Amino acid sequence: MTGELKVLGACPLDCPDGCSWVVTVRDGRAVDLRGNRDHPYTRGALCVKVNRYLEHAGAADRIMYPLRRVGPKGSGRFERITWDEALDEIAERLTAIIDEFGGEAIWPYQGTGTLGYIQGESGDAGRRLWNALGASRHDLNICARAGNVGLTRAYGSPGGMDTEDFAHSRLILLWGTNPLTSGHHVWKFVQEARAAGAHIVAIDPIRTRTADQADEYLAIRPGTDAALALALMHVVLDEGAEDRDYLERYTEGWPDFEREIRKYPPAVAAEITGIPEPEIRALGRRLAHTRPAAIRTTMGVQRHRGGGTAVRTIGCVPVVTGDWRHRGGGLSYSTSGHVPIRADDRPDLLPAGPVRTLTMTRLAEGLADTEHPVKCLWVYAANPLGSTSDQNRVRRGLAREDLFTVVMEQFPTDTVDYADIVLPATMQIEHTDLHAGYGHMYLMWNEPAVPPPGECASTTETFRRVARRLGLTDPSLYESDLEIAEGLLSGGHPALEGITVARLRAEGWARLNHPDPFLPYAAGFPTPSGRLAFPAAGEGYLAPRTARPDGPYRLALVTPASHMFLNTVFANNPELARRAGGPKILVSEKDAAERGLAGGDRVRVFNDNGEMAAELVVSDRVPPGVVATTKGNWPKLSPGGVNVNVLVDERDADMGRGAVYHDNLVEIAPW
Ligand SMILES: Nc1nc2c(c(=O)[nH]1)N[C@H]1C(S)=C(S)[C@@H](COP(=O)(O)OP(=O)(O)OC[C@H]3O[C@@H](n4cnc5c(=O)[nH]c(N)nc54)[C@H](O)[C@@H]3O)O[C@H]1N2
Ligand SMILES: Nc1nc2c(c(=O)[nH]1)N[C@H]1C(S)=C(S)[C@@H](COP(=O)(O)OP(=O)(O)OC[C@H]3O[C@@H](n4cnc5c(=O)[nH]c(N)nc54)[C@H](O)[C@@H]3O)O[C@H]1N2
Ligand code: SF4
Ligand SMILES: [Mo]
């Protein structure tokens, strides 16, 4: 191909912003990739990470060919093989496993490497094949589940505000979210609001770069957000500012919940949260008298033992104030509940009826099960050795000699090192996909800009090849990517009206046809009764907390998003890794002094699960008792060959078995 053309695509990564991008292809090569100026949410900007996407796609360590392991598990020693050899070995091993142990011995472990509806998580890519084999189901609950369940118990849906409507807010609470790192496109709407006089508050145990930009910052003790929410509602009641009419029309259980709120005046919440009483009272008054008020809470709050309850309780705040009636009022957790696309994963293909579900957040436990063993772990778009809890135990599970592990990957991750067979995966500029953004209201199309390099294949193409080699015959296993896309958009939902594959391919994106202005809960909730159910007494109002410090580990560890990586994606990019500068641990001056530690020291961060090395940063960004680092480093590129998930318990949040990444206790000592 000669000449220059522009190809419309979309960022595939697990980020609320779902950017639309434009790839310039010159003489058959992708030479430029930038944010789509025409897209109302992207507005021409990507981020510090994805600005390097082309560099990443062309990186020297890309996996280009199928590989077979030749060294011991974990050694990362492979030989190149052909696709035919790889498919033969896969077919032979899968058939033997299914014969001896049944299809449920296969764990299709899909991650969030791409959120695509065709190639990735959102469309449950591969599920038809897994159903045809009778494989176990995989519950992809690692990221947002506790909060999703918590909000759904309240609203009947996890869906919230259109984040563009933050521009209309007059008070914005950025509650357990760090958008300037983890999805900055919402910020321009926050700034618009501020230009019109809005007050911006950040509520976070870490004084993040977002908190630096806010008008006010409340340093909350991790895991105590439900208490703060109750106290804010308490002040709203004190001020007589609750929306009685809204409460009567659209909720049930209010009298009991009101009684509960009355038990949490600011003084009580101050004890629990560590936020001074006057600050809670002042914010409560502001909330009582400012309409519309918006809360942006994303996933940080719910990576805790009581995460579901906390998000549910925060979700009650805009109900009590009646903010859901107003444009610019309400709460935003995710917009994915507003995207009416459901993949047809064909449960009728299951050979012997329903199968067990294995839980993403419980990989170590699943691999240790000897009674109903997992014999094949099939990893795609995931890097569990870098991203899941209790890394030492995950590593032991992956090292099992009797486990047949297939990894579909773009890069030689730590997880790849434990694979028996590695299948080379395409990147976004090389395959077709359909996307939504979980922080906005648009669909995006991703047209391939260049052919796959080497022998890389997309997720769908790989599964078509596997199905063919296994002799499976159902036609749905062989649908082309465009046929899959047609199917996804064919649901007949009014929000999809007029949105066709042809239109998306021509225009690159389309806004979902939801009413404008979008006021999802202005007149009731999508619950069976049409009303929001406040938590009932037996369910507990205050989020359950992890037992706190009198044991050997006295520091609460919080491990949020890194500015330079997207989960573990990009951690092998030399420039981004250089800027990230290796594992660091932020510690207050008091805690450092008590342990005789100084800034710049290499320290040992440890608990009963394991230990990691990090550079100590003495910082007033964390209060005494709290220490912080970031997720995403590749273990094998880090000192000691581990990352922070070596410290994280494999333990469930209160709802949906969500992970507890921000809820672990550690100690710190000289290395
Ligand atoms: N640059 C970058 N962007 C990303 C990602 C990345 O790795 N890097 N990851 C992407 C993914 S997968 C996701 S799910 C999102 C996640 O992005 P966010 O939803 O923002 O989640 P986190 O980064 O986990 O945490 C957000 C904030 O919550 C705070 N926090 C932790 N515990 C508590 C608590 O108990 N109470 C309160 N109030 N705050 C708390 C943390 O200190 C952090 O500042 O971002 C996406 N965007
Ligand atoms: N300590 C700590 N750990 C965390 C978190 C935290 O807050 N703290 N956050 C958690 C969260 S929110 C999430 S979402 C999880 C993410 O955990 P995972 O879902 O395991 O995601 P990643 O670690 O980013 O690994 C994704 C892999 O997919 C590959 N990939 C990307 N696109 C494709 C594709 O199209 N095809 C194939 N075959 N592969 C592809 C990438 O190269 C990458 O290696 O991590 C969790 N881990
Ligand atoms: S990671 Fe987020 S902000 Fe960056 S390009 Fe992708 S969608 Fe946009
Ligand atoms: Mo996530």
Side-chain angles (χ1 to χ4, degrees):
M1 205 187 330
T2 55
E4 184 172 293
L5 74 160
K6 306 267 187 205
V7 182
L8 292 169
C11 176
L13 298 174
D14 184 353
C15 164
D17 293 8
C19 287
S20 169
W21 72 33
V22 185
V23 185
T24 305
V25 180
R26 194 175 301 139
D27 300 329
R29 291 189 51 232
V31 294
D32 186 61
L33 181 154
R34 59 185 61 212
N36 185 350
R37 285 176 202 278
D38 299 330
H39 190 282
Y41 208 77
T42 306
R43 292 198 200 166
L46 298 175
C47 63
V48 65
K49 314 170 290 293
V50 175
N51 284 335
R52 310 191 87 84
Y53 198 82
L54 287 187
E55 175 185 300
H56 203 43
D61 58 346
R62 257 303 288 268
I63 295 172
M64 297 290 207
Y65 306 98
L67 304 171
R68 179 195 285 132
R69 185 168 57 82
V70 291
K73 291 208 175 195
S75 66
R77 290 215 307 278
F78 295 96
E79 62 179 359
R80 180 177 166 184
I81 56 174
T82 65
W83 267 95
D84 269 333
E85 289 171 305
L87 291 168
D88 280 343
E89 182 159 340
I90 284 167
E92 192 185 310
R93 294 290 300 265
L94 285 188
T95 308
I97 286 168
I98 293 169
D99 285 350
E100 190 177 347
F101 299 96
E104 284 184 325
I106 304 170
W107 186 344
Y109 190 97
Q110 182 181 25
T112 61
T114 163
L115 298 189
Y117 276 92
I118 299 173
Q119 308 294 346
E121 191 259 288
S122 302
D124 226 348
R127 192 62 230 171
R128 289 176 185 175
L129 171 66
W130 304 127
N131 281 348
L133 297 178
S136 291
R137 291 200 75 90
H138 171 68
D139 187 16
L140 206 162
N141 65 340
I142 200 166
C143 174
R145 180 63 58 76
N148 266 307
V149 175
L151 273 189
T152 304
R153 288 209 188 148
Y155 300 162
S157 160
M161 293 170 64
D162 178 351
T163 53
E164 289 176 61
D165 282 342
F166 276 94
H168 300 275
S169 308
R170 290 302 164 263
L171 171 63
I172 298 177
L173 309 188
L174 300 170
W175 197 326
T177 186
N178 184 13
L180 287 180
T181 281
S182 54
H184 68 83
H185 290 80
V186 71
W187 194 253
K188 54 186 170 284
F189 304 103
V190 173
Q191 277 174 312
E192 265 182 59
R194 180 189 259 160
H199 184 79
I200 318 297
V201 184
I203 304 167
D204 200 302
I206 308 176
R207 185 160 54 76
T208 61
R209 67 174 70 212
T210 302
D212 283 342
Q213 298 298 317
D215 299 306
E216 189 180 339
Y217 165 58
L218 303 187
I220 192 165
R221 220 169 257 151
T224 66
D225 300 271
L228 176 61
L230 289 163
L232 292 177
M233 291 185 271
H234 189 284
V235 181
V236 169
L237 293 180
D238 283 350
E239 299 284 307
E242 73 276 19
D243 188 336
R244 288 267 161 194
D245 178 65
Y246 187 86
L247 290 167
E248 267 158 40
R249 281 174 199 253
Y250 305 125
T251 71
E252 53 198 22
W254 170 245
D256 283 347
F257 191 55
E258 181 177 2
R259 260 193 301 283
E260 200 58 31
I261 292 172
R262 298 279 185 201
K263 295 181 192 158
Y264 293 94
V268 171
E271 280 294 311
I272 299 170
T273 61
I275 304 169
E277 182 192 345
E279 289 182 29
I280 299 176
R281 192 169 295 282
L283 182 58
R285 290 213 177 104
R286 202 186 272 279
L287 179 67
H289 302 298
T290 315
R291 302 275 77 72
I295 298 174
R296 172 88 170 148
T297 188
T298 53
M299 286 83 214
V301 168
Q302 51 99 60
R303 306 197 200 288
H304 284 271
R305 171 160 181 235
T309 303
V311 172
R312 180 183 190 180
T313 310
I314 294 170
C316 294
V317 174
V319 176
V320 171
T321 57
D323 268 301
W324 281 114
R325 291 181 192 266
H326 312 289
R327 183 172 204 173
L331 175 142
S332 154
Y333 179 66
S334 158
T335 52
S336 45
H338 305 313
V339 185
I341 300 180
R342 301 288 168 268
D344 176 8
D345 66 12
R346 298 289 308 274
D348 59 299
L349 295 177
L350 281 165
V355 288
R356 69 174 169 181
T357 296
L358 295 166
T359 305
M360 189 170 186
T361 50
R362 288 287 186 149
L363 178 60
E365 181 187 272
L367 292 180
D369 185 347
T370 48
E371 208 170 316
H372 304 286
V374 174
K375 288 289 180 176
C376 169
L377 183 72
W378 190 298
V379 180
Y380 55 121
N383 183 9
L385 206 34
S387 285
T388 41
S389 312
D390 206 346
Q391 195 164 89
N392 285 335
R393 275 173 64 231
V394 170
R395 192 183 291 279
R396 285 203 288 279
L398 291 174
R400 264 175 48 199
E401 276 304 330
D402 65 322
L403 181 71
F404 177 57
T405 301
V406 178
V407 181
M408 292 158 61
E409 251 301 350
Q410 302 159 340
F411 291 98
T413 63
D414 292 81
T415 306
V416 163
D417 289 347
Y418 286 82
D420 294 283
I421 298 285
V422 184
L423 298 175
T426 45
M427 290 181 69
Q428 188 78 345
I429 54 170
E430 301 144 10
H431 59 226
T432 301
D433 217 336
L434 170 68
H435 287 264
Y438 61 90
H440 63 55
M441 305 285 276
Y442 301 85
L443 298 183
M444 276 74 50
W445 184 257
N446 182 75
E447 187 75 11
V450 292
E455 294 178 5
C456 293
S458 66
T459 309
T460 47
E461 175 56 21
T462 300
F463 288 140
R464 286 188 286 259
R465 291 179 191 179
V466 173
R468 204 169 287 122
R469 192 58 55 115
L470 286 164
L472 300 171
T473 54
D474 193 90
S476 72
L477 301 171
Y478 300 99
E479 279 185 357
S480 70
D481 293 352
L482 291 180
E483 286 166 339
I484 294 171
E486 300 281 359
L488 288 164
L489 293 175
S490 69
H493 193 282
L496 294 176
E497 204 187 306
I499 303 180
T500 61
V501 173
R503 180 179 153 202
L504 284 170
R505 289 184 81 184
E507 298 173 12
W509 54 273
R511 188 174 165 89
L512 291 163
N513 297 309
H514 285 296
D516 182 27
F518 183 64
L519 300 172
Y521 310 134
F525 292 88
T527 54
S529 65
R531 291 162 175 266
L532 168 136
F534 284 113
E539 297 177 272
Y541 299 101
L542 208 60
R545 291 191 69 204
T546 297
R548 293 287 139 173
D550 35 9
Y553 307 114
R554 293 187 297 126
L555 300 168
L557 172 69
V558 183
T559 67
S562 152
H563 199 69
M564 299 301 166
F565 313 143
L566 195 303
N567 292 322
T568 65
V569 177
F570 296 116
N572 58 325
N573 174 279
E575 175 57 20
L576 291 170
R578 187 190 66 75
R579 290 194 213 170
K584 298 192 171 28
I585 185 101
L586 270 59
V587 182
S588 69
E589 205 174 317
K590 176 170 179 283
D591 286 321
E594 277 176 19
R595 290 162 182 79
L597 303 167
D601 285 0
R602 174 177 279 206
V603 293
R604 190 166 81 91
V605 188
F606 63 100
N607 59 21
D608 289 338
N609 297 323
E611 62 174 19
M612 97 169 178
E615 180 192 327
L616 185 96
V617 179
V618 176
S619 172
D620 61 2
R621 291 187 177 276
V622 287
V626 177
V627 296
T629 183
T630 50
K631 62 174 169 176
N633 288 302
W634 280 20
K636 63 180 171 182
L637 301 181
S638 307
V642 300
N643 76 11
V644 66
N645 284 326
V646 83
L647 302 169
V648 170
D649 293 344
E650 191 177 59
R651 172 161 56 82
D652 296 343
D654 55 344
M655 295 183 198
R657 311 198 73 182
V660 294
Y661 291 115
H662 301 336
D663 193 4
N664 294 277
L665 296 173
V666 297
E667 257 312 321
I668 302 186
W671 183 251

